[in-house]
Amino acid sequence: MLHLRLITPSGTTDDVVRLIGATVGTAHLVVLPGAARDPAGDLVLCDVAREAADDLLAGLRDLGLDRTGSIAVEGIDLSLSERADQAEEDAPGEGADAVLWEQLSEATHEESTLSVTYLAFITLATMIAACGVVLDNAILIVGAMAVGPEFGPLAGVCTALIQRAPRLAMRSLIALLAGFAVAMAVTVGFTYLMDALGQFTRVQLEAERPNTNFIYRPDAFSFVVALLAGVAGTLSLTSSKSGALVGVAISVTTIPAAANAAVAFAYDEYRQAWGSTEQLLLNLAGITLAGTLTLLAQKHLWKRHRTSPPSTTTR
């Protein structure tokens, strides 16, 4: 269940209450006339099943509530109520399968914004991965993959393509391209520093490196894994399964490939640099393709499910 807190202008409250009452899957409606001060208006509270929330939010925006008042949504961890149970039973489909497009757009907007924090994370992850590739240390590679924030902009691109949101697409692409460019440039400088300190050597980079040589040797499996990771990552976002997203982060070699390309470039080892770049581009393309197709499939399947006859099964 989700909890909605709405601030409505007094003249709009009746329309909002009627909309909530007509939406299957709502419960616990509360109206507090004149309770809101900024903006001035009435406070309306209600709970809604996750699978019914997208339609309700769309209706509230059609009433202009996002412009004249406020719409706030938060998850309910525990609800002990027969009315809530009945609301979830009445709502079509399963909550875990529902996509809240407003929530997804908001989440990807935040995660795909080029910020100092984003640049710091992607740069630190790339430098950690640089240590991993030079030392042939798989643990450092996995750690760098977990730290990398690049899935946010990738998800933003996928969402923008489905929602036809060019501004989100541009913002995501800028964050993705600028992030990797800055991270790789800093990692080149980091490599020069570590070489001057005697911590990195060309010999280490050119060694066989059995634990990490896959980073600059892309093959068909690289693309297959990227596709699978794109599907899993998108599902983790739409279902709010953050733990699954961590698993996705450590399954694809975007950050390590960028790091290996930067280190190889610093040592004029262009064969490895090109192979790592191919690996990076292959993974980015695979994740974007799979994520977009997953969102498209979810949108299509959910639309079909909502138009199907309601189930008569009871608990």
Side-chain angles (χ1 to χ4, degrees):
M1 294 289 287
L2 299 173
H3 179 67
L4 269 63
R5 186 185 73 248
L6 312 173
I7 296 178
T8 68
S10 299
T12 311
T13 302
D14 289 343
D15 292 333
V16 170
V17 170
R18 277 194 293 270
L19 175 63
I20 294 173
T23 302
V24 176
T26 59
H28 309 147
L29 175 62
V30 176
V31 180
L32 301 175
R37 294 293 181 265
D38 185 19
D42 303 329
L43 181 63
V44 179
L45 309 173
C46 73
D47 296 338
V48 59
R50 179 183 173 87
E51 52 269 42
D54 198 56
D55 285 342
L56 179 56
L57 291 175
L60 292 172
R61 294 197 68 173
D62 288 342
L63 291 174
L65 202 59
D66 55 323
R67 300 186 301 275
T68 60
S70 170
I71 304 172
V73 183
E74 58 186 351
I76 299 176
D77 294 328
L78 176 64
S79 179
L80 303 179
S81 165
E82 289 187 2
R83 287 182 178 272
D85 293 341
Q86 188 60 50
E88 289 188 314
E89 181 68 29
D90 293 340
E94 295 293 333
D97 297 332
V99 179
L100 270 67
W101 293 101
E102 294 289 347
Q103 184 184 54
L104 181 61
S105 297
E106 185 67 23
T108 52
H109 177 277
E110 181 179 350
E111 294 296 326
S112 62
T113 300
L114 186 63
S115 64
V116 174
T117 301
Y118 170 82
L119 288 176
F121 270 115
I122 195 169
T123 301
L124 290 170
T126 306
M127 289 193 293
I128 293 171
C131 296
V133 298
V134 172
L135 298 175
D136 193 34
N137 189 315
I139 294 176
L140 290 177
I141 294 297
V142 171
M145 294 158 90
V147 172
E150 73 280 7
F151 192 83
L154 288 170
V157 172
C158 299
T159 304
L161 291 175
I162 298 300
Q163 294 290 84
R164 298 179 182 178
R167 294 182 64 182
L168 176 59
M170 183 60 65
R171 182 184 297 108
S172 301
L173 286 173
I174 290 174
L176 193 66
L177 298 177
F180 273 111
V182 170
M184 293 173 73
V186 173
T187 302
V188 170
F190 176 69
T191 301
Y192 289 142
L193 174 63
M194 294 296 282
D195 181 80
L197 295 174
Q199 300 302 309
F200 285 6
T201 66
R202 179 186 294 272
V203 173
Q204 288 173 300
L205 181 69
E206 294 177 345
E208 182 58 29
R209 291 163 46 201
N211 293 321
T212 58
N213 60 23
F214 68 93
I215 293 172
Y216 59 89
R217 295 176 179 174
D219 55 21
F221 277 106
S222 300
F223 191 67
V224 170
V225 171
L227 289 174
L228 297 176
V231 174
T234 303
L235 290 175
S236 73
L237 283 179
T238 57
S239 62
S240 300
K241 300 293 184 182
S242 58
L245 190 56
V246 174
V248 171
I250 62 176
S251 64
V252 289
T253 54
T254 49
I255 291 293
N260 200 89
V263 175
F265 182 83
Y267 282 114
D268 298 327
E269 181 59 52
Y270 299 120
R271 180 182 61 86
Q272 281 198 37
W274 176 245
S276 301
T277 302
E278 283 186 312
Q279 180 79 269
L280 174 62
L281 295 176
L282 201 62
N283 277 271
L284 294 177
I287 292 172
T288 304
L289 175 62
T292 303
L293 292 178
T294 300
L295 287 176
L296 189 63
Q298 286 183 291
K299 189 173 186 178
H300 176 69
L301 291 174
W302 188 251
K303 183 178 180 180
R304 287 187 58 187
H305 187 87
R306 287 190 304 175
T307 56
S308 63
S311 172
T312 58
T313 304
T314 58
R315 299 190 180 201

